[in-house]
Amino acid sequence: MNEASTKLAYLISSSLTARGGARLYRSFLINSTVEALSGAMKLARQTSVRNKRHDGGWILLIDAKGVFTPFVDPLSRGVEQAMTPHVVTVSSAVEASQTLPEHAWSAVVVVRDGSVDRSTAELERLFGAVRSQGGMVVLCDSELDLPDVSLFTGPLGADVIVYGESLGGNQVPFGCFAMTEQAYEIWNNDVDCYAQTSTFGGNTFCAEVVLAALDEQGLISPEQRRTLTAIDTDRETMRAYWARYINPSMAKMEMIVGMHLEVERASGARLYLDDGREILDCCGGFGSNFRGHNPPDVPADVLAVHEPEHDYYADLEAFLTELTGFDKAFPAVSGATAVDQAAALAMLANPTRTKVVTFTGNFAGKSLFAINLSKEGPQVTESDQDAFRPYYHDLVYIDPFADDAERRLQDVLSGGDVALVWFEAVRGGMCEQLPEGVLRTVERLRESGGYLIGVDEVLSGGWRTGHDYLAHQQMLNHVDLVAIGKAMTDMLFPMSSALCTQEVYDRARATDPGQVGMRRRYFRNGLGAHIAHHALRKMTDPAARERAVAAQHILEEGIRRLADRSPLFGKVEGKGAMLRLRLDDRYFPFGRSKFGVLLEMAAAQLVFERSGIFVFMLRFLHRTMTTEEDAREVVRRLEAGMHSVRPRHLFRFMASRMLFAMSAKKLSGVVAGRLARPRYLTGK
């Protein structure tokens, strides 16, 4: 929760409702139009599944300028074999009406720009026909520039309105989709409220840029400004508005699992709470923490000297290629977009093949293609079976820890039809390395099998597992593509990249130079690249790196020592600054069930309350550039706070949290009452 995202979500909803929209809109803030559009399509498809509509997840996309079609079907293989299948793209409402009888539709999506008449009877008839089938109406307004009067006016009864980078004057990565209260309802539960979240979603800096751009264009009324001031000055008002306009279920859940921290300031490895406590942060944006919070050199060394005309991404690319040994870097704004970029390049480089092989337990993000590679992973991506169907048509999952994994893998990879093998060499969510035999099999058959190898380093990269920037560098001799991100900008800015070899780049260009060129440009952002280049240079000082690795060893040894002595914990997965402390299976044999996940969250809350350490689900992801002082303090606090905790204590604590959850409805009534009479209106 933060003030900037809350203000923006409120502003979008109140602007739409004031100009003829629905009663209330809830906004999901993310990093790009592409991701926001993907999220809107996911919402439509899951709504169809939840309502038991047999419409095949078909989406009718009116995209007159063809802006988004290349992201759906980069190889022009058609609606069945596209990377995101069952999306039919047309150039006008007239063509859409002609196409309408071909399918039942989950949604019609209209990209509004100067070439689309926003008030034609044809659009009205089209929307009516889709609604009559139970489908949703989505408007994508990312191609409307400020101060276009249509941005918040006459949304034609749309269920979802997508905004993009233009809302911030095309200065920063930004995407958002605003949903009517009714459209959002299928995600208003304690599973889906988390399933759609993103580490960098609702980035504070980007939201502030959008707010400033809207203010500069005179799009904030006096009444709205009073509310924005109230959100800024009163924390409880901010929480109430965040719950109302962004994610009500998560607001309740965060109170239940103790994640509603009142952080007054943050510096390095420490969070300073409003009650005076100093908390050690071992979460760090789930692994996006290079040097800690608010590095003091960024304002002077980056922001003060930034030159908008300079190509900072070229500087970043040169640095990354020297650091990693890859030859080309493609910009992205999140882990998911980095995976999407890499996968599209791989398919362009291997255009006669369609099969993609990945492993169960892999996590790649939640965009409409990346979610194919996450569906069998450790993180919840959907509450309904096959919620976002149809998935990519030629995808093979293999359990890498199964007894017959190597045999199954060899059979598939020897078939001569595999285009790409994609995986996390170290599974970020579980902090565990893939079996050596599996990695050797993938590498051994690469040349004869004719496939490319892609590795997801979004969670494991950035020196998180030791001396090397990329974790796989000590495990594999040949990788063709890699996705990196999260930590690249010190948690300050949405930024990531996809890296590839010169061979992959040349082969992809031979297939479609226009597509490759577009992907080199689309997510490019000079400020993000400047921040990232600065952070990486700071991280590569040899002496500082050695000190950090030594501190990581102290932290790892201390946590393993605690696990050996504690009756509560079992083994420790991972290494370095990427560790998972597991509960003892003898007393907690619940695995990845919902109850097992809740127990992990409760245990993490116990660690917070008893040791003053902030972790998420017992993943210890301390800042990569940690210090010996930090590492020893984490170990000291853990031993002091947790050495006497027994399994019965955790079960009792879990029971208390469940009782608290049962009172959530009463809490929601308090929130509603507070919204009904805000203090700035009552004069109190």
Side-chain angles (χ1 to χ4, degrees):
M1 294 184 187
N2 61 75
E3 288 83 356
S5 296
T6 305
K7 290 190 294 184
L8 186 52
Y10 157 75
L11 191 60
I12 289 171
S13 179
S14 60
S15 296
L16 289 169
T17 55
R19 296 170 174 86
R23 187 176 68 88
L24 172 70
Y25 292 84
R26 292 201 169 103
S27 291
F28 186 91
L29 276 64
I30 202 159
N31 309 304
S32 67
T33 303
V34 172
E35 292 171 292
L37 193 56
S38 174
M41 291 180 179
K42 284 169 59 185
L43 179 71
R45 286 178 167 176
Q46 187 169 358
T47 299
S48 289
V49 170
R50 182 76 56 84
N51 293 335
K52 296 180 170 53
R53 294 185 62 233
H54 302 292
D55 57 27
W58 285 95
I59 305 289
L60 182 56
L61 173 62
I62 304 175
D63 184 9
K65 295 181 178 178
V67 176
F68 302 107
T69 305
F71 291 98
V72 172
D73 188 10
L75 278 83
S76 301
R77 284 177 168 160
V79 292
E80 296 292 348
Q81 295 194 6
M83 292 184 70
T84 300
H86 286 199
V87 179
V88 177
T89 304
V90 296
S91 60
S92 68
V94 172
E95 187 180 354
S97 295
Q98 295 168 348
T99 307
L100 193 66
E102 295 179 6
H103 303 284
W105 303 93
S106 286
V108 58
V109 180
V110 181
V111 180
R112 297 205 293 181
D113 55 40
S115 63
V116 177
D117 187 340
R118 301 159 196 145
S119 59
T120 61
E122 195 69 48
L123 276 180
E124 298 277 3
R125 286 195 296 271
L126 178 67
F127 293 170
V130 171
R131 287 185 188 286
S132 70
Q133 301 174 354
M136 298 179 72
V137 171
V138 178
L139 296 184
C140 180
D141 283 354
S142 63
E143 302 309 294
L144 301 179
D145 292 324
L146 291 174
D148 193 304
V149 294
S150 300
L151 276 166
F152 300 114
T153 60
L156 299 174
D159 303 287
V160 184
I161 302 97
V162 173
Y163 298 105
E165 295 80 3
S166 67
L167 213 61
N170 295 301
Q171 300 177 79
V172 293
F174 178 76
C176 166
F177 55 106
M179 301 156 277
T180 65
E181 192 172 16
Q182 181 180 1
Y184 176 78
E185 193 55 32
I186 67 159
W187 287 352
N188 194 13
N189 57 70
D190 61 1
V191 174
D192 291 293
C193 74
Y194 279 103
Q196 314 308 322
T197 56
S198 167
T199 302
F200 276 133
N203 177 265
T204 302
F205 178 82
C206 296
E208 291 284 9
V209 169
V210 173
L211 286 165
L214 295 175
D215 194 10
E216 185 179 342
Q217 296 296 333
L219 296 174
I220 302 178
S221 71
E223 180 181 353
Q224 289 172 327
R225 196 177 304 280
R226 287 192 293 271
T227 302
L228 300 184
T229 300
I231 291 170
D232 258 336
T233 55
D234 183 81
R235 189 75 177 173
E236 288 305 313
T237 298
M238 186 275 288
R239 287 187 175 278
Y241 274 83
W242 193 93
R244 180 169 176 79
Y245 293 104
I246 295 181
N247 196 324
S249 289
M250 184 178 285
K252 297 174 189 175
M253 289 293 292
E254 288 200 338
M255 294 181 69
I256 294 168
V257 300
M259 293 179 65
H260 58 302
L261 306 184
E262 299 285 359
V263 180
E264 290 290 324
R265 60 188 177 92
S267 178
R270 286 164 169 76
L271 306 173
Y272 299 91
L273 306 188
D274 65 337
D275 59 9
R277 284 182 294 172
E278 177 192 276
I279 303 299
L280 286 169
D281 182 12
C282 282
C283 179
F286 207 74
S288 56
N289 197 340
F290 261 1
R291 298 186 294 156
H293 296 278
N294 300 313
D297 51 30
V298 173
D301 294 350
V302 178
L303 301 181
V305 299
H306 185 73
E307 299 176 3
E309 301 305 316
H310 183 75
D311 187 355
Y312 289 100
Y313 194 81
D315 298 341
L316 176 62
E317 180 179 35
F319 193 90
L320 285 171
T321 55
E322 182 179 354
L323 180 65
T324 65
F326 287 91
D327 301 299
K328 296 290 181 181
F330 284 71
V333 292
S334 65
T337 54
V339 171
D340 287 350
Q341 289 275 65
L345 288 169
M347 303 307 278
L348 287 163
N350 237 345
T352 62
R353 301 178 175 210
T354 61
K355 186 167 290 181
V356 176
V357 177
T358 192
F359 298 117
T360 59
N362 186 79
F363 182 75
K366 300 170 184 177
S367 63
L368 270 175
F369 181 75
I371 206 163
N372 289 278
L373 307 170
S374 304
K375 191 173 184 297
E376 302 297 328
Q379 295 190 30
V380 175
T381 58
E382 56 202 71
S383 63
D384 298 290
Q385 182 69 32
D386 294 332
F388 310 123
R389 87 288 184 259
Y391 298 89
Y392 181 66
H393 78 287
D394 200 2
L395 185 66
V396 176
Y397 292 103
I398 291 176
D399 180 354
F401 293 96
D403 293 339
D404 62 345
E406 292 178 40
R407 180 190 60 76
R408 283 201 62 209
L409 192 57
Q410 179 159 326
D411 290 345
V412 173
L413 298 183
S414 300
D417 58 350
V418 177
L420 172 67
V421 183
W422 184 267
F423 55 92
E424 295 174 287
V426 179
R427 303 203 295 191
M430 307 299 285
C431 300
E432 61 187 356
Q433 181 177 322
L434 292 188
E436 179 72 16
V438 167
L439 295 177
R440 296 285 73 79
T441 301
V442 171
E443 197 165 45
R444 174 172 54 84
L445 297 174
R446 175 188 171 276
E447 188 171 346
S448 61
Y451 52 81
L452 300 173
I453 298 176
V455 176
D456 187 335
E457 291 267 13
V458 171
L459 290 173
S460 58
W463 298 282
R464 189 148 287 281
T465 58
H467 286 86
D468 295 313
Y469 176 65
L470 299 176
H472 79 264
Q473 288 175 302
Q474 295 298 317
M475 306 177 200
L476 294 159
N477 294 317
H478 190 103
V479 170
D480 300 285
L481 308 104
V482 66
I484 59 174
K486 282 191 171 310
M488 196 184 292
T489 62
D490 279 322
M491 297 190 292
L492 297 172
F493 198 89
M495 182 76 196
S496 57
S497 285
L499 309 178
C500 71
T501 63
Q502 187 68 44
E503 179 189 6
V504 169
Y505 178 77
D506 291 341
R507 285 167 54 179
R509 272 186 54 83
T511 300
D512 191 338
Q515 176 85 209
V516 173
M518 180 275 292
R519 291 180 178 276
R520 293 275 284 174
R521 297 185 302 271
Y522 189 83
F523 295 110
R524 212 173 183 98
N525 183 276
L527 181 57
H530 193 177
I531 295 172
H533 188 208
H534 172 79
L536 288 166
R537 284 190 291 111
K538 290 289 184 180
M539 289 290 292
T540 48
D541 173 71
R545 287 288 324 123
E546 287 302 318
R547 290 193 297 270
V549 170
Q552 286 181 7
H553 289 161
I554 291 171
L555 182 63
E556 180 181 342
E557 290 167 4
I559 291 177
R560 292 189 186 280
R561 187 167 59 247
L562 172 71
D564 289 340
R565 298 175 180 175
S566 168
L568 185 67
F569 300 113
K571 62 181 180 179
V572 177
E573 303 279 7
K575 63 179 181 178
M578 186 178 183
L579 301 168
R580 178 191 175 201
L581 183 56
R582 294 187 57 173
L583 295 171
D584 194 323
D585 290 336
R586 292 175 300 173
Y587 307 110
F588 308 101
F590 305 105
R592 297 301 298 162
S593 67
K594 183 176 179 179
F595 187 70
V597 170
L598 289 173
L599 272 170
E600 276 194 334
M601 297 176 81
Q605 177 62 9
L606 263 184
V607 170
F608 175 76
E609 292 188 1
R610 296 178 65 95
S611 300
I613 299 172
F614 182 51
V615 295
F616 180 67
M617 295 180 66
L618 298 180
R619 273 66 167 174
F620 284 77
L621 305 173
H622 201 266
R623 60 173 175 164
T624 312
M625 193 64 80
T626 190
T627 64
E628 181 178 344
E629 178 188 4
D630 283 352
R632 294 194 185 283
E633 179 64 7
V634 170
V635 173
R636 186 194 69 77
R637 290 192 186 189
L638 274 175
E639 290 177 341
M642 300 300 294
H643 78 280
S644 63
V645 178
R646 299 293 188 268
R648 65 178 182 273
H649 297 142
L650 179 57
F651 281 116
R652 288 173 183 168
F653 182 76
M654 181 66 195
S656 73
R657 305 316 295 172
M658 294 178 73
L659 288 172
F660 184 83
M662 292 171 63
S663 66
K665 289 184 178 180
K666 294 180 181 179
L667 290 173
S668 66
V670 172
V671 168
R674 186 174 187 82
L675 278 171
R677 293 179 59 81
R679 289 193 304 175
Y680 68 91
L681 292 179
T682 61
K684 296 180 180 178

